[in-house]
Amino acid sequence: MSSVTSRAIGAVVGGFIADAAGLPIHWVYNQDDLNAIVAKHDKPEFIPEGHCPFYKLPTGSLSGFADQGCALLQSLVESKGLDLDNYKSSLVTRFGPGSGYDIDRSGEKPVLGPWLNGSLKQFLANHEEKKAKTGADSADVDSLSKVGPLVALYAGDPKLMSYVESTVRVTQDNDIAVKYAQAGAKLLEDYILNGPNPDAVQKLTGQVDADAKAEIEAVIAVKGEPHQEVAKKFGLGCGMPANFNNAIHCILNGSDDFAASVRFGLASGGDNCGRLSFVGSCFGAQGGFESLPADWIAKTTEGAKIKALAEELVKMRK
């Protein structure tokens, strides 16, 4: 079995490459249209032409969800640990004035450039106004999508859950966003510390509150149903718990084949990227860095940089 170090690096890199793989078909809500697009290619990942109806980026780019994780990863390495002020500065650098996200989106869609998620818009406005609380009242899956770097560094640390909460509230001052990010962080922590475990999701039901437990149990009850149908049933949008549920269903149906496992979530429709960062982190943690497809890393524009940062991050583990 892979080492904790390998699993921690796999969790970080796996999340980013999964997001990049699914970006060309991000936010395609009509599953019939999505299936027609995917049918034209040998594999659904890294499709050469972008089909997102809202924005268009070169294949290999990261979505706004994974870019939040990138800002966190960069900050953790620079600060040698969690420093919320530095994290805020990292977010402003990546998403704020003068960044690649600083573009006009008022015209026809898809816009040529990245999409700025709602919670980030509110964060930037609150930060500019120097408000003490910078987070938006948003229960979207952004919070879950960026836990990978934080868990990779702090898995096993009793302060991890408090770190997750304080990090999430920087951009999403919302209890649901925090709750499901913490639930996801507990699952990912288990995979990093202990490796693959078919009972890990069931174990998670004993570590969360009654509402989250009911959501997870509802997912377990439909484990054997086709993932695309389940995703539509729970809801294809960005909100939680729906997108958390979709991520958990994908994880339940995965195997030791990273690419094959991620493809469930990648081609499910709607906000695939919102769940792919977390899904990729969980599969990367289960198999370790050696389980990640080298061609996926190569096809991710920032793949080499992310790998290097992940290695620096994991060296800081105590």
Side-chain angles (χ1 to χ4, degrees):
M1 187 171 70
S2 59
S3 66
V4 171
T5 295
S6 175
R7 294 196 295 271
I9 295 172
V12 177
V13 179
F16 289 113
I17 64 175
D19 174 274
L23 180 131
I25 48 176
H26 188 202
W27 282 330
V28 179
Y29 281 89
N30 186 305
Q31 291 176 325
D32 290 335
D33 290 347
L34 175 63
N35 291 338
I37 293 167
V38 170
K40 297 176 182 177
H41 302 273
D42 293 336
K43 298 175 182 177
E45 66 265 18
F46 295 102
I47 289 174
E49 181 74 9
H51 294 273
C52 176
F54 299 98
Y55 67 92
K56 198 165 190 175
L57 287 170
T59 295
S61 303
L62 300 176
S63 77
F65 296 100
D67 262 339
Q68 292 177 61
C70 247
L72 178 58
L73 174 60
Q74 186 81 46
S75 175
L76 290 169
V77 172
E78 286 180 358
S79 303
K80 301 190 183 308
L82 181 60
D83 179 318
L84 294 179
D85 288 333
N86 183 276
Y87 173 46
K88 291 175 184 179
S89 297
S90 185
L91 286 167
V92 172
T93 297
R94 198 155 186 109
F95 294 96
S99 72
Y101 281 81
D102 188 15
I103 62 172
D104 180 14
R105 298 179 182 82
S106 61
E108 292 184 8
K109 306 297 183 291
V111 298
L112 298 180
W115 195 260
L116 189 63
N117 295 3
S119 62
L120 267 295
K121 291 179 184 178
Q122 190 62 55
F123 160 78
L124 291 169
N126 291 343
H127 186 271
E128 176 67 22
E129 294 173 18
K130 294 180 168 53
K131 291 185 177 180
K133 291 187 176 182
T134 53
D137 184 14
S138 164
D140 283 352
V141 74
D142 305 51
S143 65
L144 177 68
S145 70
K146 59 191 174 190
V147 298
L150 202 59
V151 183
L153 177 58
Y154 291 114
D157 189 320
K159 295 181 181 178
L160 173 59
M161 291 304 117
S162 67
Y163 292 154
V164 171
E165 177 168 8
S166 59
T167 301
V168 168
R169 290 196 187 276
V170 166
T171 55
Q172 291 173 268
D173 194 15
N174 178 281
D175 291 345
I176 293 175
V178 169
K179 174 163 65 177
Y180 288 101
Q182 288 179 324
K186 289 175 182 177
L187 181 62
L188 182 56
E189 180 183 37
D190 192 350
Y191 289 139
I192 289 174
L193 295 179
N194 304 312
N197 175 7
D199 298 320
V201 172
Q202 182 64 54
K203 177 182 172 184
L204 182 63
T205 63
Q207 301 173 320
V208 296
D209 70 11
D211 289 340
K213 178 181 179 181
E215 296 291 345
I216 297 167
E217 288 177 339
V219 180
I220 293 172
V222 294
K223 175 185 175 181
E225 297 181 16
H227 182 66
Q228 197 176 73
E229 294 177 14
V230 169
K232 186 175 182 179
K233 172 185 173 182
F234 284 123
L236 296 173
C238 304
M240 292 195 290
N243 226 359
F244 171 83
N245 292 347
N246 291 336
I248 294 297
H249 189 264
C250 183
I251 291 163
L252 281 172
N253 284 281
S255 66
D256 59 1
D257 184 327
F258 179 91
S261 300
V262 169
R263 286 181 191 127
F264 284 116
L266 192 151
S268 54
D271 186 23
N272 62 336
C273 284
R275 65 193 80 111
L276 281 173
S277 290
F278 177 67
V279 166
S281 287
C282 285
F283 288 128
Q286 289 182 65
F289 178 76
E290 56 267 31
S291 71
L292 304 182
D295 63 323
W296 283 37
I297 299 173
K299 290 175 181 177
T300 300
T301 304
E302 296 189 67
K305 176 183 176 182
I306 289 165
K307 177 179 178 289
L309 285 170
E311 290 170 345
E312 288 299 310
L313 179 79
V314 174
K315 284 179 185 176
M316 294 155 46
R317 282 186 51 79
K318 295 179 180 179

